[in-house]
């Protein structure tokens, strides 16, 4: 069984994502490697690219605030991204860029073995549930057996950056966030 350090070292060298050429560095996942909950975001932004840590800009501050609202801290969870390199000018990651980072993400998830995987936005969700729309399933606990995945439980949420300056989405995201402890309770009681 590879450690996260070994996984990151391997994929930082062997991944085939074209964004590597323009990004400052790879942004590895961060947080508690024994966490029950893993958050998957989209891709690093400017601050993350410069500092090498996920979710440290405005969206990250909002994420930390929402974790606080359910009595959790960033250190209690593990936070990573679908794509480990910043897309130029923060454009959406392309399907082939997501595909190139997919084995890296899969290995991270296998190493951490979370009970619940939370998608922050449609790019994270589409990797696992290509048929679903985030506007229809946000805040709903989804159960699906996916070969190689350590859990069958997934919770899609709106991306904090999308909700930051949109009052309606912000309210929905704050509301959906409260479902995290309930979902965990449900899963662990089984
Ligand atoms: N948005 C993301 O999806 N990931 C980050 O790391 C930062 C902002």
């Amino acid at each position: 069984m590879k450690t996260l350090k070994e996984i990151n070292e391997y994929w930082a060298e062997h991944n085939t994502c074209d964004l590597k050429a323009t990004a400052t560095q790879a942004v590895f996942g961060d947080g508690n490697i024994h966490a029950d909950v893993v958050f998957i975001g989209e891709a690093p932004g400017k601050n993350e690219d410069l500092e090498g840590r996920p979710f440290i800009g405005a969206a990250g501050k909002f994420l930390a605030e929402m974790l606080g609202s359910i009595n959790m801290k960033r250190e209690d969870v593990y936070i990573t991204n679908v794509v480990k390199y910043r897309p130029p000018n923060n454009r959406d990651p392309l399907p082939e860029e997501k595909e190139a980072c997919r084995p890296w993400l899969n290995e991270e998830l296998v190493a951490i073995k979370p009970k619940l995987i939370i998608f922050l936005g449609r790019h994270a969700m589409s990797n696992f549930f290509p048929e679903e729309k985030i506007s229809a399933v946000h805040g709903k606990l989804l159960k699906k057996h996916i070969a190689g995945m350590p859990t069958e439980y997934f919770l899609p949420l709106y991306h904090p950056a999308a909700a930051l300056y949109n009052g309606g989405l912000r309210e929905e995201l704050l509301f959906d966030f409260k479902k995290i402890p309930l979902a965990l309770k449900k899963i662990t009681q089984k």
Side-chain angles (χ1 to χ4, degrees):
M1 174 85 182
K2 284 202 256 176
T3 64
L4 269 174
K5 187 167 177 281
E6 286 165 347
I7 292 166
N8 287 334
E9 278 170 4
Y10 177 85
W11 286 110
E13 196 181 329
H14 293 92
N15 81 83
T16 55
C17 182
D18 290 341
L19 295 172
K20 211 173 174 174
T22 48
T24 307
Q25 58 189 318
V27 176
F28 300 154
D30 178 53
N32 182 348
I33 60 168
H34 303 295
D36 284 343
V37 184
V38 167
F39 286 85
I40 307 176
E42 181 179 321
K46 188 171 179 210
N47 295 298
E48 291 79 16
D49 174 67
L50 291 174
E51 296 212 14
R53 271 187 84 201
F55 283 96
I56 53 159
K61 289 203 179 78
F62 185 34
L63 180 59
E65 197 182 305
M66 288 188 288
L67 282 167
S69 78
I70 54 167
N71 293 320
M72 289 179 96
K73 293 191 294 295
R74 201 184 151 110
E75 297 74 40
D76 296 329
V77 301
Y78 186 85
I79 303 174
T80 191
N81 282 305
V82 172
V83 169
K84 310 296 193 229
Y85 298 93
R86 182 191 183 204
N89 301 316
N90 297 348
R91 66 155 169 73
D92 283 357
L94 302 172
E96 56 270 30
E97 292 160 356
K98 293 197 270 183
E99 202 49 46
C101 280
R102 180 67 201 254
W104 190 342
L105 176 63
N106 283 1
E107 287 197 14
E108 270 183 291
L109 295 172
V110 168
I112 296 165
K113 295 190 194 63
K115 296 192 169 83
L116 174 64
I117 294 176
I118 300 183
F119 307 126
L120 296 174
R122 64 193 168 91
H123 289 286
M125 185 176 76
S126 70
N127 251 298
F128 300 83
F129 291 83
E131 70 286 4
E132 302 287 4
K133 287 241 175 313
I134 193 89
S135 53
V137 295
H138 70 89
K140 293 200 173 104
L141 184 64
L142 306 178
K143 186 168 187 257
K144 180 172 167 181
H145 177 76
I146 302 177
M149 276 299 113
T151 180
E152 296 188 332
Y153 293 96
F154 304 87
L155 181 67
L157 300 179
Y158 283 121
H159 194 289
L164 212 49
Y165 306 109
N166 176 324
L169 280 194
R170 193 184 163 95
E171 286 311 307
E172 296 217 46
L173 180 53
L174 284 163
F175 182 78
D176 287 348
F177 228 81
K178 306 252 182 291
K179 298 183 180 156
I180 297 172
L182 300 174
L184 266 177
K185 200 164 161 200
K186 187 172 164 190
I187 298 165
T188 49
Q189 272 171 359
K190 284 194 190 288

